[in-house]
Amino acid sequence: MSSTHPDGPIPANAVEVSGVSRVFPRRQGRDVVALDDVHLTVAEGEFVSLIGPSGCGKSTLLRIIADLDAPSAGSLSVFGKSSRQARLDQDYGIAFQQAGLLPWRTVAANVGLPLEIHRVDKGARRQRVGELLEMVGLTDFAKSYPDELSGGMQQRVAIARALAESPRLLLMDEPFGALDEITRERMQTELVRICSETGAAVVFVTHSIPEAVFLSDRVVVMTPRPGKIIEIVDSGPDTGERRDDDFRDAAGFFHTVARVRELLHGSPAAAALSAARGVENR
Amino acid sequence: MTLADGGTAPLRFKPFHDSRLTTLLAPAALGVLMVAAWQLAVDSFDIQPFIVPSPHAIFDQLVESRASVWEGIRGTGRNALYGLLIGAAVGIVAALLSHASRIIDLMSVPVVAALSVVPIVALAPVLYTMFGAAANTARVIVAAITVIIPVYFNTLRGLRQVKPVHRELMTVYAASPVQVARAVTLPTAAPYVFTGLRIASSLAVIAALIAEYFGGPVDGLGKAITTSASSSNYPLAWAYVFGSILLGLAFYLVTLLVELRVSRHGPAT
């Protein structure tokens, strides 16, 4: 790899995954191969989606990057460090499908939780929480409790919490999976804005094709049993265009959606058929 | 930048005065009716006080000997309170240990379960001989053992309710065990602990009172009930029974209010 550079240290990639496999041993029957020889590089500031049917190992891959799970084989680095060191150094923020807010804490206290655990002093914490709540548009709800918020608002609190320590990498495991379509599209637009403001790299797990295509610089298409990457598709608006709601109507968007769908369904004919039926059209 | 997603207004917690009023009024009305019927029955059928005295007679005795009823409430209440505090402390610590160590868990759960089928008050006479009949120690111990059981099981259950997503979040934050306990485990368990305490609170009063029937010093409601019944002062005995109802109710209500406060923001996603 090009890890030697004549002009001093080159910036490490956000994530480098090489030859990672994950096998879940079972006492009876064959072992489950969740990931098989996966190679993936995520550059600094890049938005990469992992997409595929259930069981394709996309969440497993994300959990391995987050050091919530360990690979059975292969190696990976996060900002040039081991994933464990990156976790201990708080190099990434994470959001799950469940918002996972602490119900006995106010919105502000939930957002401030990671800062509190890492002993950021009270004044700095309050200021940062204020900034984050403004970023996700929930300033008026700072004193509310999670059970007083809608699902979309809870998820925004979770995203603010993930961004609390200004991580350069954001890991998101189907964060909009439980939201309705309208809220979901709004949240996607929000996420694009937040990412451009923070400049963080994102690894985003989803099973929605339009969501992956709309958000990502690259869409990693995966297949199950065993979990593998079939292809990595470049995505995004034409040069000079912005990634906004107009992009959802652009020809390039539909083209990429069709391409990803084709890869997921195996053949162009099957893809066309399911498109005509409106199946998997989200 | 503000945006309301889906336009759904946030759910505010509804104050429950209106419903609370009806839930209070309905049983209160029934109570008044029953007392009236009781008085009417005693008057019209000329029922003797040793069978059942009239509410009026009981009330007279209650007013007349309010000082000694209050004295009894304080005596039994003190024992019940000490028992509740000691039992709660032991139950919570034991549950924490069980939760922290699999071996302690395997050892203690069956023991506490076995304890729960032992009629604890039956130990009272033995304990009086152990600690002396002049001391309240035996009563406090009986109340404490009774309290340990529900507090232990409820706390243990609460400690096991920690959601995987919260646990993973703490792993992500590289939080220390103490931080995990303070931020997630204890707040998750708290509502369960207080449910255990609410159940235990009335048990503590009952245990402390019944233990008095088996001996010990003469400063409690239980002793007062037996003494006045054996001296044929039935309305007074009933007045002490009324006092013990008040005491049990007070314990229950205080723990209930604490529980409601603690579990206000229940499990969300």
Side-chain angles (χ1 to χ4, degrees):
Chain A
M1 301 291 279
S2 61
S3 52
T4 48
H5 200 275
D7 311 330
I10 55 154
N13 280 318
V15 182
E16 272 178 45
V17 175
S18 56
V20 160
S21 300
R22 178 71 172 99
V23 180
F24 292 105
R26 281 198 303 187
R27 216 171 280 170
Q28 289 170 333
R30 271 187 300 165
D31 293 347
V32 178
V33 182
L35 283 176
D36 186 29
D37 193 28
V38 167
H39 295 264
L40 177 68
T41 303
V42 180
E44 286 251 33
E46 191 185 20
F47 199 119
V48 171
S49 288
L50 310 178
I51 193 168
S54 350
C56 73
K58 52 193 192 299
S59 288
T60 306
L61 180 54
L62 189 94
R63 292 172 56 82
I64 287 175
I65 297 171
D67 192 37
L68 290 170
D69 196 358
S72 311
S75 65
L76 76 154
S77 67
V78 178
F79 295 111
K81 313 173 203 178
S82 71
S83 57
R84 179 179 151 76
Q85 194 57 48
R87 173 171 67 83
L88 295 178
D89 292 350
Q90 299 297 305
D91 285 335
Y92 68 84
I94 194 163
F96 302 98
Q97 179 169 5
Q98 286 182 293
L101 305 178
L102 302 179
W104 52 86
R105 279 174 171 250
T106 61
V107 164
N110 263 291
V111 173
L113 176 68
L115 302 170
E116 204 177 305
I117 287 192
H118 302 120
R119 303 202 166 83
V120 175
D121 73 77
K122 220 171 187 174
R125 203 161 74 208
R126 190 177 306 141
Q127 195 192 343
R128 180 70 185 140
V129 168
E131 288 169 19
L132 289 160
L133 287 179
E134 196 176 335
M135 184 188 278
V136 297
L138 288 175
T139 306
D140 295 343
F141 295 93
K143 292 198 172 80
S144 304
Y145 284 87
D147 55 5
E148 300 167 336
L149 304 182
S150 68
M153 290 161 116
Q154 290 187 15
Q155 202 51 259
R156 275 196 301 208
V157 176
I159 292 171
R161 180 179 62 185
L163 292 167
E165 294 176 285
S166 314
R168 285 182 299 149
L169 173 63
L170 198 52
L171 303 175
M172 305 182 96
D173 191 355
E174 295 189 39
F176 309 145
L179 304 181
D180 64 84
E181 189 61 24
I182 300 156
T183 311
R184 194 170 178 147
E185 287 196 354
R186 208 172 273 160
M187 296 286 290
Q188 291 164 4
T189 314
E190 277 294 287
L191 184 60
V192 167
R193 178 183 60 80
I194 290 169
C195 287
S196 68
E197 281 175 23
T198 58
V202 184
V203 180
F204 190 95
V205 168
T206 181
H207 50 231
S208 157
I209 301 172
E211 181 167 273
V213 171
F214 177 72
L215 291 169
S216 319
D217 299 317
R218 288 190 297 152
V219 179
V220 177
V221 184
M222 298 180 74
T223 171
R225 285 175 293 274
K228 274 186 165 196
I229 295 176
I230 328 175
E231 200 168 316
I232 300 178
V233 180
D234 285 326
S235 179
D238 298 336
T239 38
E241 296 289 305
R242 283 169 13 122
R243 196 187 290 272
D244 53 18
D245 280 334
D246 289 341
F247 174 51
R248 293 186 198 277
D249 299 324
F253 178 78
F254 287 112
H255 179 76
T256 317
V257 167
R259 173 83 189 113
V260 172
R261 183 174 291 139
E262 197 177 293
L263 287 163
L264 284 170
H265 290 272
S267 74
L273 193 67
S274 70
R277 281 194 194 132
V279 178
E280 191 81 44
N281 216 9
R282 289 203 291 161
Chain B
M1 167 156 260
T2 52
L3 23 62
D5 43 52
T8 36
L11 280 164
R12 293 246 173 259
F13 251 73
K14 280 201 187 106
F16 40 177
H17 315 112
D18 42 353
S19 64
R20 189 185 272 177
L21 201 65
T22 15
T23 43
L24 273 184
L25 270 182
L30 182 66
V32 168
L33 277 176
M34 283 173 66
V35 170
W38 177 359
Q39 181 72 47
L40 200 69
V42 171
D43 286 346
S44 48
F45 300 114
D46 195 23
I47 297 172
Q48 292 305 303
F50 66 86
I51 297 174
V52 64
S54 73
H56 187 254
I58 297 170
F59 184 74
D60 281 349
Q61 279 297 336
L62 194 62
V63 174
E64 197 178 305
S65 24
R66 58 185 179 277
S68 66
V69 172
W70 176 238
E71 197 64 31
I73 286 178
R74 276 177 48 191
T76 306
R78 198 187 321 110
N79 292 340
L81 183 64
Y82 289 164
L84 183 62
L85 294 177
I86 295 168
V90 174
I92 290 170
V93 169
L96 285 171
L97 290 175
S98 288
H99 183 66
S101 148
R102 172 121 191 89
I103 293 174
I104 298 178
D105 189 35
L106 286 171
M107 289 191 302
S108 57
V109 168
V111 173
V112 181
L115 206 61
S116 68
V117 297
V118 174
I120 309 293
V121 284
L123 285 175
V126 187
L127 292 171
Y128 281 127
T129 34
M130 272 168 82
F131 294 98
N136 273 309
T137 322
R139 296 171 184 170
V140 172
I141 290 175
V142 166
I145 297 175
T146 317
V147 165
I148 289 172
I149 298 149
V151 171
Y152 173 83
F153 281 116
N154 278 283
T155 305
L156 197 54
R157 185 152 164 253
L159 290 170
R160 288 176 177 157
Q161 302 298 316
V162 174
K163 289 190 175 176
V165 63
H166 291 159
R167 208 177 297 130
E168 291 197 332
L169 211 55
M170 290 295 122
T171 311
V172 165
Y173 297 150
S176 70
V178 174
Q179 286 177 324
V180 176
R182 280 189 52 193
V184 168
T185 320
L186 294 180
T188 303
Y192 293 83
V193 176
F194 283 100
T195 302
L197 283 176
R198 170 172 53 84
I199 299 165
S201 64
S202 10
L203 287 179
V205 174
I206 294 169
L209 193 137
I210 304 287
E212 292 172 18
Y213 290 168
F214 296 94
V218 284
D219 61 350
L221 287 167
K223 263 279 187 280
I225 293 169
T226 44
T227 312
S228 38
S230 58
S231 59
S232 303
N233 192 347
Y234 302 106
L236 183 61
W238 278 85
Y240 283 120
V241 170
F242 188 76
S244 56
I245 292 171
L246 287 183
L247 181 63
L249 213 55
F251 268 67
Y252 182 83
L253 283 179
V254 169
T255 44
L256 177 68
L257 288 178
V258 177
E259 187 194 353
L260 284 179
R261 214 183 138 62
V262 168
S263 54
R264 233 182 76 207
H265 292 285
T269 43

